[in-house]
Amino acid sequence: MTMVCAKDNPFETGELSPRERAHLWVDSRFDDLECLHARFQDYQYSPHFHDTFVFGRVEQGVEHCRSRGLDFALTPGTSLTIINPGDLHDGRPGEEGYEYRMFYPSVELMRQANEECGGSGDIPWFSNCYVEDRLLSERIGRLHRLLESEGCPLEAESLMLETLTHLVLHHGDQKPVPGRIGDESSPVAKVCDFVRDGLDQEFGLEDMATIAGLNRYQLIRAFRKEMGMTPHAYVINRRVEAARGLLKNGVTLSAAALDCGFYDQAHFSRIFKRVVGVTPGAYRNACHG
C-alpha cells in the first residue's frame, strides 16, 4: 500500500503568517489516515468537530484547548488530547505559539484497533479529552515522524498497532459509540438530519425551528445545550466535513463548494481553513499528491 503525501509540494497555507507552517498528508495504508504537523504562532481554531477521532501531542510551546466544557493546556512531554467524532473543540496558541502533531483516524480504524486488542469489535470511546501518558506521547511522536519521513513500512505498521491499542486499552471506555445525532427523535436531532440531507440548500432559522417544533429562541438554546454551538455553527461545520470527504474523493474545489452550500469560493476557503487549519486546495493536494 502507498502513502499519498504532499511533502514535496509547497503547502498552500492561505492566511498563515511567515512564522507559521502546516503540512498535512494522507496515508492510504491506514484507512486514509490524515496526519497534520503544524507550527502556529497566531492562528486560532474556532470551535469545530470532525467525523473522525483526533489525537496528538504538542512538541514545542503551549496550545490552549477547550472541549466538553474542559479548558486545558497541551505542553511537551506527557500531555495528550483525544477527541471523539462529533466532539466540539478549539485550539489557540500560548504566548510563544506551539508546534504539534495530530492524527485523524477513521472510526473503522479505531474499531479494528479495539478488536485487535481483544475488544468486542465495538467502536471505542474516550471520556477524557486530556490525558497524561509519557509512553503514549513518545510513541505518537515517533510514529508521526516515521510516517512523515516515509520510513520502514513494517516499522510503521507495528508502531501504528502498538499506538492505537495502547490508546484503547489505557484510555478507552470500552463501550459502544453513542448513536449519532439524528438517531433519536429529539428536536435537535431532527434538525441535524434535515441539515445533513440538504447541505446544498440555504437554511433559515425559522424553517429549522419549525422542524424542531420550537420557536427560534428555544431552538438556539436547545442547540447550545445539546451540541455546544448554535444552529448556524453546526451547519458550517457539517458543510466543512462533507467538503473534506468530497475533496478526498477527487471532486474539484468549485464542485465541492457548490455541493456543500458554499456559493462563494473565497468564503469556502476561509471557512474551511478556520476548521481544518489549511485551505481546501492544500487539503485536496495533500490527499492526491
Side-chain angles (χ1 to χ4, degrees):
M1 289 178 280
T2 59
M3 175 161 63
V4 179
C5 183
K7 185 165 72 278
D8 297 327
N9 299 319
F11 213 69
E12 179 190 358
T13 51
E15 300 171 0
L16 293 184
S17 74
R19 298 181 297 173
E20 298 178 309
R21 65 181 186 274
H23 172 210
L24 183 145
W25 71 97
V26 177
D27 196 316
S28 62
R29 296 171 296 180
F30 306 109
D31 199 24
D32 287 341
L33 174 67
E34 292 181 23
C35 310
L36 176 65
H37 178 199
R39 168 73 189 183
F40 292 138
Q41 185 70 33
D42 306 305
Y43 180 77
Q44 299 187 29
Y45 284 103
S46 59
H48 63 285
F49 59 81
H50 302 284
D51 289 335
T52 64
F53 288 89
V54 183
F55 68 89
R57 54 172 263 165
V58 161
E59 304 221 310
Q60 295 181 28
V62 179
E63 181 189 15
H64 296 285
C65 309
R66 181 175 179 81
S67 182
R68 284 179 257 164
L70 176 68
D71 291 297
F72 56 95
L74 293 177
T75 57
T78 63
S79 62
L80 301 165
T81 187
I82 308 170
I83 305 295
N84 298 307
D87 280 354
L88 194 66
H89 60 286
D90 64 13
R92 54 200 181 280
E95 207 170 293
E96 301 298 324
Y98 66 97
E99 179 181 353
Y100 78 152
R101 293 180 179 272
M102 286 288 158
F103 288 113
Y104 300 81
S106 68
V107 170
E108 175 58 20
L109 186 64
M110 294 303 297
R111 187 201 65 75
Q112 291 174 6
N114 191 25
E115 190 172 33
E116 288 271 10
C117 59
S120 62
D122 289 325
I123 300 166
W125 210 247
F126 303 90
S127 293
N128 297 318
C129 53
Y130 172 85
V131 300
E132 297 275 349
D133 188 327
R134 183 174 296 277
L135 176 59
L136 181 58
S137 177
E138 291 173 353
R139 282 178 172 169
I140 288 172
R142 187 153 62 95
L143 174 61
H144 207 281
R145 287 188 290 272
L146 183 65
L147 298 188
E148 189 172 26
S149 64
E150 301 184 60
C152 173
L154 179 58
E155 183 183 4
E157 185 177 2
S158 301
L159 189 53
M160 177 65 73
L161 183 59
E162 284 184 323
T163 301
L164 295 184
T165 53
H166 182 120
L167 185 68
V168 169
L169 286 172
H170 292 271
H171 302 290
D173 294 341
Q174 294 296 310
K175 64 183 181 184
V177 60
R180 68 176 178 87
I181 296 295
D183 287 343
E184 302 146 4
S185 58
S186 75
V188 170
K190 291 177 182 178
V191 175
C192 290
D193 273 345
F194 172 66
V195 170
R196 267 194 301 268
D197 292 340
L199 288 174
D200 60 339
Q201 304 173 21
E202 288 286 352
F203 296 103
L205 192 60
E206 187 66 48
D207 294 333
M208 297 166 79
T210 298
I211 288 171
L214 304 171
N215 63 37
R216 291 178 298 174
Y217 174 70
Q218 290 171 331
L219 176 67
I220 291 174
R221 288 193 63 184
F223 250 86
R224 284 194 181 279
K225 180 179 179 181
E226 192 164 332
M227 302 295 293
M229 58 174 62
T230 64
H232 173 259
Y234 176 80
V235 170
I236 292 299
N237 275 265
R238 182 50 60 199
R239 281 177 167 158
V240 168
E241 285 300 296
R244 288 175 79 156
L246 292 176
L247 294 174
K248 186 177 287 188
N249 289 330
V251 174
T252 64
L253 299 182
S254 58
L258 191 62
D259 287 350
C260 296
F262 294 101
Y263 298 107
D264 180 283
Q265 196 70 37
H267 180 244
F268 174 44
S269 182
R270 185 170 62 254
I271 295 299
F272 189 95
K273 180 178 175 295
R274 187 186 302 166
V275 173
V276 181
V278 296
T279 63
Y283 182 84
R284 190 178 187 278
N285 289 341
C287 292
H288 298 281

